[in-house]
Amino acid sequence: MGKKDKQSSKASTEELLTTLVDFTSKENWDKFFTIRGTDDSFEWYAEWTELHHPLLSLLAGNGENPSSSPPLQILVPGCGNSKLSENLYDAGFREITNIDFSKVVISDMLKRNVRDRPGMRWRVMDMTQMKVEDESFDYLSEVKRVLNFEGKFICLTLAESHVLALLFSKFRFGWKMSVHAIPQKPFTLFDHSSLDCSGNQAFGLHEALENENQIRKEYSIGPDILYSLEDLLIGAKGDLSKLSLGRRFQLILGGNGESRFRYKAIVLDAKESSCQFTYHCGVFIVPKTRAHEWLFSSEEGQWLVVESSKAARLIMIIMDSSHTNANMDDIQKDLSPLVKQLAPGKDDNSAQIPFMMAGDGIKERKTVHMVISSLTGSIIVEDVVYENVADDVSRPFPSSDLVFRRLVFQRAEGLVQSEALLTRDESSHKIVEEKKKTSSSKSKKKGSQKRNDASSKQLKVYHDYMASSYHMGIISGFTLMSSYLESVESTGKTVNAVIIGLGAGLLPMFLHGCMPSLRIEVVELDAVVLSLARDYFGFAEDERLKVHIADGIKFVREVKHFAVADGLPAIHEIEDASGSTKPSPDESCSVSYTEARGRPRVDILIIDVDSSDSSSGMACPAADFVEESFLLTVKDTLSEQGLFIVNLVSRSPAVKDMIISRMKAVFNHLFSLQLEEDINMVLFGLCSEVCLKEDCFPEAACQLDKLLKFKHQEIGQSIIDSTKKIRRLK
């Protein structure tokens, strides 16, 4: 009879909990616990023997112990009749509050513990509407409102995908998260190699962690903590309804159904209180193409934007590739309800929040080609028309719609690697006209005529103009050795230059055209980049311009090894542009001789490569190119009058100072050129014992001007003007 009653009770219990609706019904849970009884504890996921080690480790990790003062406040929402709270109490944690919306189970648990655990608190309460003061507890289940500032949320789950998606999105920004596989060894979210489970659950968990890691990586903004709007509204950075002088924080706005897009945002309260503010709150949108600029990417620059905006609080929105196809009306409509929640003085709903924007200066944009390289990643070739162009190009080319072709490496989002001016291809136009005159009557049909007209309008890269200011800065540094260059040219000899980093090939092509005495070798690691330079930027090799597909560091070291003295045999080729190599006389070295006489040491060595490792603090060059050991190799590779040039791109003053200090220790003389409104700094290291004095710069610049064969004087003048900004670093 007893056995039959037990089976009947089990069947009734299962019947009560067959649908999701039943799980949210107080009445059903009351019935469930009435049938189950007080002594038959119901553990959802694991027993105490499995939980005690990771759970107590987490509590200890908070720097607390059971006897700490003040004692740790623990909240257990949806406690049911689990023994979890009792075990925690017995382990020494006495400040425990248990809540459940089933009055039956709360009554039973109170009776069960009133004698042995008198300090345990039991409350009938709905966990979704807790009547608990803000920041009262160190642990919670669902509502972050009641969590202490340095508290923890511990959730036991089967790690289903929909549960992980909810947890990850809820605690993504402003929270540290770790995952523990019970009873396996705990591991952090960002190091999950120790996870040891099997089957579909293991695969799903690994996949969820990988996706979450990627999301966090994409939305990280420097070293700052990223907050969610939800956390900020509950006081993570103080009372947002009030201005706080000099307050600055970063957050993620939108997503998860709140808005169409997700946005990176920086909130800045003006450093000084002023009655001259035009707006109590303003929104400043930074387009993707300008996000990398110092003015918008550095904290110092951002405060300058705050000053010029005349806003007491400025919300800076950093656009990225996810917003590419949206117009500004869509963005403003999407952002408006989000930014209103960040505005000070929330009672004033009538106050308008103005939207301001840093224009990208681009009137038209067209993607010409996209490719993914295994070395460089995603690469884009695009044509753009700017709203305004520099005088040095607008005068020789008076057109309102000049087209520029750009090479963009997506790994450095928004950073244009190379930029070239496009002009009408006169040679192809002449060929087309000649074909028109000699064509047969069949070729004069309407369709053929259309094709010829289209060909006559073809654009090509104009290699006698440098669109990049830092390229012109690099060339201006030749002033430091202009006397040597003049003497070499007067004797009919050649100046040997090596450029590490091809890009679109614009710098070597420009130098090839304007300095006939220059013999240039370019070293490029990625063959895909060489193909793009040839196919889309008109790059071409000849006897004075060669390309090696090789590692730049190894190339320079091998040049040093073989170039023992000026005029003696030296390395000429590691691997030619076609990918073939010739037998090496020394199997221990990868270089080979292409001719017995070789070539002399390098006169000019230029480093113009970007870095794929943002942790170095430099966008250019890769850290290996400014290590002291490499710099010493460079000096040994250069001739006695040799010049070393490196394009340094870094927003960190400490990194810049470190590189400058290293170069000072290696080279006899060091000069720099800081480009205005740019993060590029060009450094020039000289091997010569004799140094050009700064008061001799004008004369040296005139020498350089005579050496450079410009087709347009306006273009040459920009380079000569840059020489006036070169400074000696003592």
Side-chain angles (χ1 to χ4, degrees):
M1 187 72 176
K3 185 176 182 180
K4 182 178 179 181
D5 290 343
K6 187 174 182 180
Q7 290 176 339
S8 176
S9 296
K10 182 179 180 181
S12 299
T13 302
E14 292 175 350
E15 185 180 354
L16 285 172
L17 304 176
T18 53
T19 68
L20 182 61
V21 176
D22 291 325
F23 280 92
T24 63
S25 168
K26 295 181 183 180
E27 291 75 15
N28 281 348
W29 279 110
D30 285 342
K31 291 178 183 179
F32 174 84
F33 288 118
T34 299
I35 294 169
R36 194 172 184 93
T38 305
D39 297 327
D40 190 7
S41 297
F42 182 67
E43 307 294 346
W44 279 95
Y45 299 117
E47 300 291 337
W48 177 249
T49 54
E50 300 167 308
L51 291 174
H52 80 280
H53 178 71
L55 197 54
L56 295 181
S57 295
L58 283 170
L59 292 171
N62 205 47
E64 302 287 352
N65 59 67
S67 60
S68 63
S69 180
L72 205 63
Q73 299 289 319
I74 299 176
L75 174 67
V76 183
C79 60
N81 65 356
S82 167
K83 291 184 178 180
L84 176 62
S85 299
E86 297 168 341
N87 287 314
L88 285 172
Y89 190 94
D90 294 344
F93 297 95
R94 301 303 170 88
E95 297 296 324
I96 302 175
T97 299
N98 303 276
I99 68 171
D100 201 294
F101 68 177
S102 170
K103 59 184 178 183
V104 171
V105 77
I106 289 295
S107 177
D108 287 346
M109 294 299 286
L110 179 59
K111 292 176 184 177
R112 192 168 92 182
N113 290 282
V114 68
R115 183 172 300 173
D116 297 333
R117 302 174 184 88
M120 191 93 78
R121 293 181 290 273
W122 304 91
R123 302 285 186 270
V124 177
M125 193 181 298
D126 187 336
M127 72 169 69
T128 64
Q129 298 177 354
M130 289 187 284
K131 298 173 183 176
V132 177
E133 293 181 3
D134 293 357
E135 300 185 2
S136 302
F137 292 92
D138 293 296
Y139 297 88
L140 81 163
S141 174
E142 299 213 14
V143 182
K144 292 191 285 184
R145 176 182 61 85
V146 301
L147 191 66
N148 238 333
F149 176 67
E150 293 184 348
K152 294 183 179 180
F153 165 46
I154 298 177
C155 178
L156 301 178
T157 175
L158 294 177
E160 303 101 315
S161 59
H162 66 282
V163 174
L164 291 177
L166 175 64
L167 292 175
F168 288 158
S169 62
K170 201 75 170 177
F171 296 95
R172 179 167 293 145
F173 306 113
W175 295 77
K176 295 179 181 179
M177 184 178 288
S178 61
V179 177
H180 299 255
I182 299 172
Q184 302 295 334
K185 181 180 179 180
F187 61 95
T188 64
L189 179 63
F190 299 99
D191 180 15
H192 48 81
S193 59
S194 62
L195 181 62
D196 184 18
C197 48
S198 58
N200 293 332
Q201 183 188 21
F203 175 79
L205 183 55
H206 274 290
E207 185 177 38
L209 293 174
E210 290 291 348
N211 291 338
E212 179 63 17
N213 283 334
Q214 185 60 34
I215 291 172
R216 290 184 176 223
K217 180 180 179 181
E218 289 175 0
Y219 285 100
S220 62
I221 308 178
D224 291 349
I225 295 175
L226 273 174
Y227 294 92
S228 68
L229 180 58
E230 179 184 17
D231 292 334
L232 291 167
L233 293 177
I234 61 175
K237 292 295 290 183
D239 187 355
L240 294 186
S241 67
K242 300 177 181 178
L243 292 168
S244 178
L245 299 182
R247 176 168 53 186
R248 175 186 177 275
F249 55 86
Q250 303 193 21
L251 72 150
I252 293 296
L253 279 174
N256 298 324
E258 293 181 278
S259 60
R260 179 180 171 187
F261 298 106
R262 190 188 297 267
Y263 305 91
K264 299 176 184 178
I266 305 162
V267 176
L268 305 106
D269 285 354
K271 290 184 175 182
E272 297 181 3
S273 179
S274 172
C275 59
Q276 302 299 318
F277 290 129
T278 306
Y279 312 108
H280 77 297
C281 183
V283 177
F284 192 91
I285 298 176
V286 181
K288 170 191 168 184
T289 53
R290 299 193 64 185
H292 69 282
E293 294 180 19
W294 175 86
L295 190 63
F296 309 117
S297 62
S298 70
E299 184 173 345
E300 185 180 354
Q302 291 163 7
W303 286 118
L304 293 177
V305 177
V306 174
E307 290 180 19
S308 62
S309 71
K310 303 297 182 183
R313 173 173 294 169
L314 188 67
I315 304 169
M316 190 175 291
I317 304 296
I318 310 297
M319 307 290 280
D320 58 37
S321 55
S322 67
H323 311 117
T324 301
N325 297 321
N327 60 49
M328 282 303 106
D329 289 338
D330 293 337
I331 294 295
Q332 183 170 343
K333 183 178 179 181
D334 198 41
L335 272 171
S336 291
L338 299 174
V339 297
K340 283 182 179 179
Q341 301 178 72
L342 290 169
K346 300 228 177 188
D347 293 335
D348 187 7
N349 294 323
S350 61
Q352 296 295 313
I353 300 178
F355 279 73
M356 299 166 271
M357 183 173 181
D360 62 4
I362 295 177
K363 186 160 56 175
E364 297 177 20
R365 185 196 308 271
K366 176 186 176 183
T367 298
V368 177
H369 184 70
M370 294 181 65
V371 66
I372 297 178
S373 162
S374 60
L375 292 176
T376 308
S378 179
I379 307 175
I380 295 176
V381 178
E382 61 181 11
D383 289 351
V384 300
V385 175
Y386 290 108
E387 294 174 353
N388 298 291
V389 295
D391 291 341
D392 62 349
V393 66
S394 61
R395 282 195 292 267
F397 302 98
S399 171
S400 59
D401 290 326
L402 288 176
V403 182
F404 292 83
R405 178 157 293 174
R406 313 198 310 182
L407 183 69
V408 181
F409 291 173
Q410 286 294 89
R411 69 186 183 190
E413 188 172 332
L415 190 62
V416 179
Q417 205 281 338
S418 300
E419 185 172 51
L421 172 67
L422 299 183
T423 59
R424 300 294 172 189
D425 189 344
E426 297 178 1
S427 61
S428 66
H429 179 75
K430 292 178 181 178
I431 293 173
V432 169
E433 291 300 321
E434 189 65 28
K435 285 183 178 179
K436 284 183 181 179
K437 294 177 182 178
T438 60
S439 62
S440 64
S441 58
K442 191 177 290 187
S443 68
K444 294 179 182 178
K445 291 181 180 180
K446 187 176 181 181
S448 177
Q449 182 67 44
K450 285 185 177 179
R451 286 192 296 272
N452 285 335
D453 287 345
S455 298
S456 68
K457 297 179 180 179
Q458 183 178 354
L459 293 171
K460 71 170 185 177
V461 170
Y462 186 71
H463 288 292
D464 294 310
Y465 171 73
M466 295 296 298
S468 297
S469 59
Y470 84 90
H471 275 161
M472 290 191 286
I474 286 174
I475 299 172
S476 71
F478 289 12
T479 300
L480 300 170
M481 59 183 310
S482 57
S483 294
Y484 174 71
L485 295 175
E486 186 179 55
S487 65
V488 170
E489 184 182 69
S490 64
T491 57
K493 296 181 180 180
T494 59
V495 176
N496 297 287
V498 171
I499 301 175
I500 308 296
L502 174 67
L506 304 177
L507 177 60
M509 286 293 287
F510 182 84
L511 290 172
H512 177 270
C514 69
M515 289 192 71
S517 62
L518 206 60
R519 179 178 176 275
I520 306 169
E521 292 183 89
V522 185
V523 184
E524 171 57 49
L525 185 63
D526 194 344
V528 174
V529 172
L530 174 58
S531 296
L532 291 173
R534 286 171 171 167
D535 297 342
Y536 295 95
F537 292 88
F539 179 78
E541 298 167 79
D542 63 15
E543 60 183 9
R544 291 197 299 114
L545 175 56
K546 301 291 183 183
V547 176
H548 308 289
I549 300 300
D551 179 283
I553 299 285
K554 293 180 180 178
F555 184 93
V556 174
R557 286 174 179 165
E558 289 165 347
V559 167
K560 173 198 170 185
H561 179 69
F562 281 85
V564 255
D566 290 351
L568 294 181
I571 164 183
H572 179 72
E573 230 177 281
I574 292 179
E575 180 179 328
D576 64 25
S578 66
S580 63
T581 57
K582 297 184 178 182
S584 171
D586 181 359
E587 292 300 326
S588 65
C589 185
S590 64
V591 301
S592 60
Y593 293 100
T594 58
E595 49 190 25
R597 61 182 176 82
R599 62 163 170 77
R601 288 180 181 271
V602 176
D603 297 305
I604 302 171
L605 178 55
I606 301 171
I607 305 295
D608 186 20
V609 297
D610 75 323
S611 173
S612 60
D613 180 14
S614 59
S615 65
S616 67
M618 293 180 288
C620 297
D624 290 346
F625 287 98
V626 285
E627 290 291 340
E628 185 177 359
S629 59
F630 178 73
L631 296 176
L632 290 169
T633 300
V634 167
K635 186 177 182 182
D636 290 341
T637 303
L638 291 169
S639 61
E640 290 183 4
Q641 303 296 324
L643 175 65
F644 176 60
I645 305 174
V646 58
N647 176 39
L648 175 62
V649 182
S650 176
R651 299 184 179 94
S652 168
V655 169
K656 290 181 179 179
D657 290 344
M658 176 184 67
I659 304 306
I660 289 171
S661 177
R662 288 179 184 173
M663 291 187 65
K664 279 183 176 179
V666 172
F667 294 95
N668 294 333
H669 307 284
L670 187 64
F671 293 81
S672 73
L673 170 62
Q674 179 66 61
L675 301 175
E676 292 181 4
E677 298 182 0
D678 207 335
I679 58 174
N680 290 72
M681 172 187 281
V682 184
L683 295 173
F684 308 95
L686 277 172
C687 294
S688 173
E689 294 291 341
V690 180
C691 177
L692 180 68
K693 296 181 180 179
E694 291 189 19
D695 58 1
C696 297
F697 271 26
E699 182 182 348
C702 289
Q703 282 182 306
L704 180 62
D705 192 21
K706 293 176 182 178
L707 290 169
L708 299 174
K709 315 300 181 185
F710 297 120
K711 289 187 177 181
H712 302 280
Q713 188 56 41
E714 295 90 346
I715 296 173
Q717 190 59 46
S718 295
I719 294 175
I720 301 305
D721 288 343
S722 294
T723 64
K724 301 173 184 177
K725 303 172 186 177
I726 297 176
R727 297 290 180 266
R728 183 180 180 185
L729 300 175
K730 299 179 181 179

